[in-house]
PDB file of all heavy atoms in Angstrom:
ATOM      1  N   ALA A 168      -0.311 -19.044   0.825  1.00  0.00           N
ATOM      2  CA  ALA A 168       0.989 -19.724   0.981  1.00  0.00           C
ATOM      3  C   ALA A 168       1.441 -20.330  -0.335  1.00  0.00           C
ATOM      4  O   ALA A 168       2.630 -20.302  -0.672  1.00  0.00           O
ATOM      5  CB  ALA A 168       0.873 -20.806   2.054  1.00  0.00           C
ATOM      6  N   ALA A 169       0.497 -20.863  -1.114  1.00  0.00           N
ATOM      7  CA  ALA A 169       0.861 -21.475  -2.403  1.00  0.00           C
ATOM      8  C   ALA A 169       1.303 -20.429  -3.425  1.00  0.00           C
ATOM      9  O   ALA A 169       2.072 -20.751  -4.323  1.00  0.00           O
ATOM     10  CB  ALA A 169      -0.345 -22.260  -2.935  1.00  0.00           C
ATOM     11  N   GLU A 170       0.810 -19.187  -3.288  1.00  0.00           N
ATOM     12  CA  GLU A 170       1.178 -18.129  -4.238  1.00  0.00           C
ATOM     13  C   GLU A 170       2.572 -17.541  -3.967  1.00  0.00           C
ATOM     14  O   GLU A 170       3.166 -16.950  -4.841  1.00  0.00           O
ATOM     15  CB  GLU A 170       0.141 -16.985  -4.169  1.00  0.00           C
ATOM     16  CG  GLU A 170      -1.210 -17.332  -4.771  1.00  0.00           C
ATOM     17  CD  GLU A 170      -1.133 -17.464  -6.282  1.00  0.00           C
ATOM     18  OE1 GLU A 170      -0.942 -16.446  -6.960  1.00  0.00           O
ATOM     19  OE2 GLU A 170      -1.220 -18.595  -6.769  1.00  0.00           O
ATOM     20  N   ALA A 171       3.071 -17.698  -2.742  1.00  0.00           N
ATOM     21  CA  ALA A 171       4.336 -17.076  -2.371  1.00  0.00           C
ATOM     22  C   ALA A 171       5.485 -17.402  -3.317  1.00  0.00           C
ATOM     23  O   ALA A 171       6.240 -16.517  -3.721  1.00  0.00           O
ATOM     24  CB  ALA A 171       4.691 -17.449  -0.940  1.00  0.00           C
ATOM     25  N   PRO A 172       5.682 -18.681  -3.719  1.00  0.00           N
ATOM     26  CA  PRO A 172       6.791 -18.971  -4.635  1.00  0.00           C
ATOM     27  C   PRO A 172       6.658 -18.261  -5.982  1.00  0.00           C
ATOM     28  O   PRO A 172       7.689 -17.975  -6.631  1.00  0.00           O
ATOM     29  CB  PRO A 172       6.724 -20.488  -4.813  1.00  0.00           C
ATOM     30  CG  PRO A 172       6.053 -20.979  -3.564  1.00  0.00           C
ATOM     31  CD  PRO A 172       5.049 -19.906  -3.251  1.00  0.00           C
ATOM     32  N   ARG A 173       5.446 -17.973  -6.422  1.00  0.00           N
ATOM     33  CA  ARG A 173       5.258 -17.275  -7.711  1.00  0.00           C
ATOM     34  C   ARG A 173       5.757 -15.827  -7.623  1.00  0.00           C
ATOM     35  O   ARG A 173       6.347 -15.322  -8.567  1.00  0.00           O
ATOM     36  CB  ARG A 173       3.809 -17.304  -8.121  1.00  0.00           C
ATOM     37  CG  ARG A 173       3.237 -18.704  -8.375  1.00  0.00           C
ATOM     38  CD  ARG A 173       1.787 -18.664  -8.780  1.00  0.00           C
ATOM     39  NE  ARG A 173       1.609 -17.878 -10.000  1.00  0.00           N
ATOM     40  CZ  ARG A 173       0.528 -17.182 -10.292  1.00  0.00           C
ATOM     41  NH1 ARG A 173      -0.486 -17.131  -9.415  1.00  0.00           N
ATOM     42  NH2 ARG A 173       0.422 -16.541 -11.409  1.00  0.00           N
ATOM     43  N   TYR A 174       5.545 -15.189  -6.483  1.00  0.00           N
ATOM     44  CA  TYR A 174       6.087 -13.825  -6.303  1.00  0.00           C
ATOM     45  C   TYR A 174       7.589 -13.855  -6.193  1.00  0.00           C
ATOM     46  O   TYR A 174       8.286 -13.014  -6.777  1.00  0.00           O
ATOM     47  CB  TYR A 174       5.495 -13.185  -5.021  1.00  0.00           C
ATOM     48  CG  TYR A 174       4.035 -12.775  -5.192  1.00  0.00           C
ATOM     49  CD1 TYR A 174       3.010 -13.621  -4.777  1.00  0.00           C
ATOM     50  CD2 TYR A 174       3.687 -11.562  -5.771  1.00  0.00           C
ATOM     51  CE1 TYR A 174       1.688 -13.268  -4.931  1.00  0.00           C
ATOM     52  CE2 TYR A 174       2.386 -11.192  -5.917  1.00  0.00           C
ATOM     53  CZ  TYR A 174       1.369 -12.034  -5.505  1.00  0.00           C
ATOM     54  OH  TYR A 174       0.061 -11.678  -5.673  1.00  0.00           O
ATOM     55  N   LEU A 175       8.132 -14.846  -5.474  1.00  0.00           N
ATOM     56  CA  LEU A 175       9.574 -14.938  -5.327  1.00  0.00           C
ATOM     57  C   LEU A 175      10.250 -15.227  -6.661  1.00  0.00           C
ATOM     58  O   LEU A 175      11.346 -14.741  -6.923  1.00  0.00           O
ATOM     59  CB  LEU A 175       9.930 -16.024  -4.299  1.00  0.00           C
ATOM     60  CG  LEU A 175      11.407 -16.149  -3.957  1.00  0.00           C
ATOM     61  CD1 LEU A 175      11.921 -14.860  -3.319  1.00  0.00           C
ATOM     62  CD2 LEU A 175      11.656 -17.333  -3.031  1.00  0.00           C
ATOM     63  N   GLU A 176       9.597 -16.029  -7.510  1.00  0.00           N
ATOM     64  CA  GLU A 176      10.145 -16.341  -8.825  1.00  0.00           C
ATOM     65  C   GLU A 176      10.408 -15.075  -9.637  1.00  0.00           C
ATOM     66  O   GLU A 176      11.479 -14.904 -10.193  1.00  0.00           O
ATOM     67  CB  GLU A 176       9.188 -17.251  -9.578  1.00  0.00           C
ATOM     68  CG  GLU A 176       9.570 -17.522 -11.024  1.00  0.00           C
ATOM     69  CD  GLU A 176       8.479 -18.205 -11.788  1.00  0.00           C
ATOM     70  OE1 GLU A 176       7.318 -18.243 -11.323  1.00  0.00           O
ATOM     71  OE2 GLU A 176       8.780 -18.728 -12.911  1.00  0.00           O
ATOM     72  N   VAL A 177       9.430 -14.175  -9.658  1.00  0.00           N
ATOM     73  CA  VAL A 177       9.617 -12.939 -10.424  1.00  0.00           C
ATOM     74  C   VAL A 177      10.595 -12.005  -9.723  1.00  0.00           C
ATOM     75  O   VAL A 177      11.451 -11.401 -10.367  1.00  0.00           O
ATOM     76  CB  VAL A 177       8.253 -12.229 -10.621  1.00  0.00           C
ATOM     77  CG1 VAL A 177       8.419 -10.959 -11.454  1.00  0.00           C
ATOM     78  CG2 VAL A 177       7.275 -13.162 -11.321  1.00  0.00           C
ATOM     79  N   MET A 178      10.524 -11.926  -8.419  1.00  0.00           N
ATOM     80  CA  MET A 178      11.421 -11.052  -7.678  1.00  0.00           C
ATOM     81  C   MET A 178      12.887 -11.449  -7.916  1.00  0.00           C
ATOM     82  O   MET A 178      13.722 -10.553  -8.157  1.00  0.00           O
ATOM     83  CB  MET A 178      11.112 -11.127  -6.162  1.00  0.00           C
ATOM     84  CG  MET A 178      11.889 -10.153  -5.320  1.00  0.00           C
ATOM     85  SD  MET A 178      11.246 -10.040  -3.617  1.00  0.00           S
ATOM     86  CE  MET A 178      12.033 -11.452  -2.888  1.00  0.00           C
ATOM     87  N   ASN A 179      13.168 -12.725  -7.913  1.00  0.00           N
ATOM     88  CA  ASN A 179      14.533 -13.151  -8.107  1.00  0.00           C
ATOM     89  C   ASN A 179      14.933 -13.194  -9.611  1.00  0.00           C
ATOM     90  O   ASN A 179      16.109 -13.406  -9.926  1.00  0.00           O
ATOM     91  CB  ASN A 179      14.766 -14.547  -7.494  1.00  0.00           C
ATOM     92  CG  ASN A 179      15.013 -14.452  -6.011  1.00  0.00           C
ATOM     93  OD1 ASN A 179      15.523 -13.438  -5.527  1.00  0.00           O
ATOM     94  ND2 ASN A 179      14.641 -15.506  -5.270  1.00  0.00           N
ATOM     95  N   GLY A 180      13.975 -12.954 -10.492  1.00  0.00           N
ATOM     96  CA  GLY A 180      14.286 -12.807 -11.874  1.00  0.00           C
ATOM     97  C   GLY A 180      14.617 -11.389 -12.276  1.00  0.00           C
ATOM     98  O   GLY A 180      14.952 -11.116 -13.438  1.00  0.00           O
ATOM     99  N   CYS A 181      14.554 -10.465 -11.315  1.00  0.00           N
ATOM    100  CA  CYS A 181      14.866  -9.062 -11.570  1.00  0.00           C
ATOM    101  C   CYS A 181      16.286  -8.771 -11.071  1.00  0.00           C
ATOM    102  O   CYS A 181      16.924  -9.579 -10.427  1.00  0.00           O
ATOM    103  CB  CYS A 181      13.848  -8.153 -10.874  1.00  0.00           C
ATOM    104  SG  CYS A 181      12.151  -8.378 -11.473  1.00  0.00           S
ATOM    105  N   ASP A 182      16.758  -7.563 -11.394  1.00  0.00           N
ATOM    106  CA  ASP A 182      18.144  -7.186 -11.057  1.00  0.00           C
ATOM    107  C   ASP A 182      18.258  -6.613  -9.663  1.00  0.00           C
ATOM    108  O   ASP A 182      19.327  -6.659  -9.045  1.00  0.00           O
ATOM    109  CB  ASP A 182      18.653  -6.173 -12.075  1.00  0.00           C
ATOM    110  CG  ASP A 182      18.617  -6.711 -13.475  1.00  0.00           C
ATOM    111  OD1 ASP A 182      19.173  -7.807 -13.706  1.00  0.00           O
ATOM    112  OD2 ASP A 182      18.051  -6.030 -14.357  1.00  0.00           O
ATOM    113  N   ALA A 183      17.181  -5.987  -9.163  1.00  0.00           N
ATOM    114  CA  ALA A 183      17.209  -5.340  -7.863  1.00  0.00           C
ATOM    115  C   ALA A 183      15.777  -5.303  -7.339  1.00  0.00           C
ATOM    116  O   ALA A 183      14.817  -5.533  -8.090  1.00  0.00           O
ATOM    117  CB  ALA A 183      17.810  -3.932  -7.939  1.00  0.00           C
ATOM    118  N   VAL A 184      15.644  -5.010  -6.049  1.00  0.00           N
ATOM    119  CA  VAL A 184      14.358  -5.030  -5.377  1.00  0.00           C
ATOM    120  C   VAL A 184      14.223  -3.738  -4.589  1.00  0.00           C
ATOM    121  O   VAL A 184      15.174  -3.241  -3.998  1.00  0.00           O
ATOM    122  CB  VAL A 184      14.236  -6.229  -4.434  1.00  0.00           C
ATOM    123  CG1 VAL A 184      12.882  -6.261  -3.724  1.00  0.00           C
ATOM    124  CG2 VAL A 184      14.459  -7.554  -5.194  1.00  0.00           C
ATOM    125  N   SER A 185      13.001  -3.147  -4.597  1.00  0.00           N
ATOM    126  CA  SER A 185      12.706  -2.030  -3.706  1.00  0.00           C
ATOM    127  C   SER A 185      11.473  -2.368  -2.880  1.00  0.00           C
ATOM    128  O   SER A 185      10.524  -2.983  -3.374  1.00  0.00           O
ATOM    129  CB  SER A 185      12.485  -0.742  -4.498  1.00  0.00           C
ATOM    130  OG  SER A 185      11.370  -0.839  -5.358  1.00  0.00           O
ATOM    131  N   VAL A 186      11.506  -1.988  -1.589  1.00  0.00           N
ATOM    132  CA  VAL A 186      10.420  -2.301  -0.688  1.00  0.00           C
ATOM    133  C   VAL A 186      10.076  -1.055   0.151  1.00  0.00           C
ATOM    134  O   VAL A 186      10.797  -0.066   0.119  1.00  0.00           O
ATOM    135  CB  VAL A 186      10.783  -3.485   0.240  1.00  0.00           C
ATOM    136  CG1 VAL A 186      11.030  -4.744  -0.580  1.00  0.00           C
ATOM    137  CG2 VAL A 186      11.997  -3.166   1.080  1.00  0.00           C
ATOM    138  N   SER A 187       9.013  -1.148   0.926  1.00  0.00           N
ATOM    139  CA  SER A 187       8.440   0.044   1.542  1.00  0.00           C
ATOM    140  C   SER A 187       8.869   0.314   2.968  1.00  0.00           C
ATOM    141  O   SER A 187       8.607   1.420   3.477  1.00  0.00           O
ATOM    142  CB  SER A 187       6.915  -0.043   1.488  1.00  0.00           C
ATOM    143  OG  SER A 187       6.486  -1.270   2.082  1.00  0.00           O
ATOM    144  N   THR A 188       9.483  -0.632   3.656  1.00  0.00           N
ATOM    145  CA  THR A 188       9.862  -0.421   5.058  1.00  0.00           C
ATOM    146  C   THR A 188      11.213  -1.092   5.386  1.00  0.00           C
ATOM    147  O   THR A 188      11.601  -2.049   4.722  1.00  0.00           O
ATOM    148  CB  THR A 188       8.798  -1.012   6.013  1.00  0.00           C
ATOM    149  OG1 THR A 188       8.811  -2.435   5.923  1.00  0.00           O
ATOM    150  CG2 THR A 188       7.419  -0.498   5.700  1.00  0.00           C
ATOM    151  N   PRO A 189      11.876  -0.607   6.421  1.00  0.00           N
ATOM    152  CA  PRO A 189      13.106  -1.282   6.838  1.00  0.00           C
ATOM    153  C   PRO A 189      12.881  -2.735   7.252  1.00  0.00           C
ATOM    154  O   PRO A 189      13.712  -3.590   6.985  1.00  0.00           O
ATOM    155  CB  PRO A 189      13.569  -0.442   8.045  1.00  0.00           C
ATOM    156  CG  PRO A 189      12.976   0.905   7.818  1.00  0.00           C
ATOM    157  CD  PRO A 189      11.647   0.653   7.173  1.00  0.00           C
ATOM    158  N   GLY A 190      11.739  -3.029   7.877  1.00  0.00           N
ATOM    159  CA  GLY A 190      11.432  -4.407   8.257  1.00  0.00           C
ATOM    160  C   GLY A 190      11.315  -5.300   7.022  1.00  0.00           C
ATOM    161  O   GLY A 190      11.751  -6.466   7.052  1.00  0.00           O
ATOM    162  N   LEU A 191      10.731  -4.773   5.947  1.00  0.00           N
ATOM    163  CA  LEU A 191      10.604  -5.563   4.742  1.00  0.00           C
ATOM    164  C   LEU A 191      11.926  -5.720   4.032  1.00  0.00           C
ATOM    165  O   LEU A 191      12.193  -6.717   3.369  1.00  0.00           O
ATOM    166  CB  LEU A 191       9.575  -4.915   3.811  1.00  0.00           C
ATOM    167  CG  LEU A 191       9.089  -5.762   2.593  1.00  0.00           C
ATOM    168  CD1 LEU A 191       8.703  -7.160   3.002  1.00  0.00           C
ATOM    169  CD2 LEU A 191       7.925  -5.047   1.915  1.00  0.00           C
ATOM    170  N   VAL A 192      12.825  -4.729   4.184  1.00  0.00           N
ATOM    171  CA  VAL A 192      14.203  -4.873   3.666  1.00  0.00           C
ATOM    172  C   VAL A 192      14.857  -6.088   4.307  1.00  0.00           C
ATOM    173  O   VAL A 192      15.408  -6.977   3.614  1.00  0.00           O
ATOM    174  CB  VAL A 192      15.030  -3.626   3.923  1.00  0.00           C
ATOM    175  CG1 VAL A 192      16.517  -3.881   3.620  1.00  0.00           C
ATOM    176  CG2 VAL A 192      14.542  -2.448   3.098  1.00  0.00           C
ATOM    177  N   ASP A 193      14.774  -6.171   5.638  1.00  0.00           N
ATOM    178  CA  ASP A 193      15.410  -7.281   6.350  1.00  0.00           C
ATOM    179  C   ASP A 193      14.800  -8.612   5.937  1.00  0.00           C
ATOM    180  O   ASP A 193      15.510  -9.600   5.762  1.00  0.00           O
ATOM    181  CB  ASP A 193      15.265  -7.081   7.848  1.00  0.00           C
ATOM    182  CG  ASP A 193      16.060  -5.871   8.366  1.00  0.00           C
ATOM    183  OD1 ASP A 193      16.993  -5.447   7.666  1.00  0.00           O
ATOM    184  OD2 ASP A 193      15.728  -5.374   9.440  1.00  0.00           O
ATOM    185  N   HIS A 194      13.467  -8.654   5.817  1.00  0.00           N
ATOM    186  CA  HIS A 194      12.810  -9.913   5.505  1.00  0.00           C
ATOM    187  C   HIS A 194      13.085 -10.344   4.042  1.00  0.00           C
ATOM    188  O   HIS A 194      13.351 -11.537   3.779  1.00  0.00           O
ATOM    189  CB  HIS A 194      11.307  -9.803   5.714  1.00  0.00           C
ATOM    190  CG  HIS A 194      10.622 -11.141   5.871  1.00  0.00           C
ATOM    191  ND1 HIS A 194      10.690 -11.868   7.051  1.00  0.00           N
ATOM    192  CD2 HIS A 194       9.915 -11.870   5.010  1.00  0.00           C
ATOM    193  CE1 HIS A 194      10.028 -13.008   6.888  1.00  0.00           C
ATOM    194  NE2 HIS A 194       9.530 -13.038   5.664  1.00  0.00           N
TER     195      HIS A 194
END
Side-chain angles (χ1 to χ4, degrees):
E170 288 290 290
R173 296 180 61 210
Y174 287 96
L175 185 62
E176 174 191 14
V177 181
M178 187 168 82
N179 279 332
C181 298
D182 301 308
V184 180
S185 63
V186 298
S187 53
T188 68
L191 192 48
V192 170
D193 294 339
H194 199 77

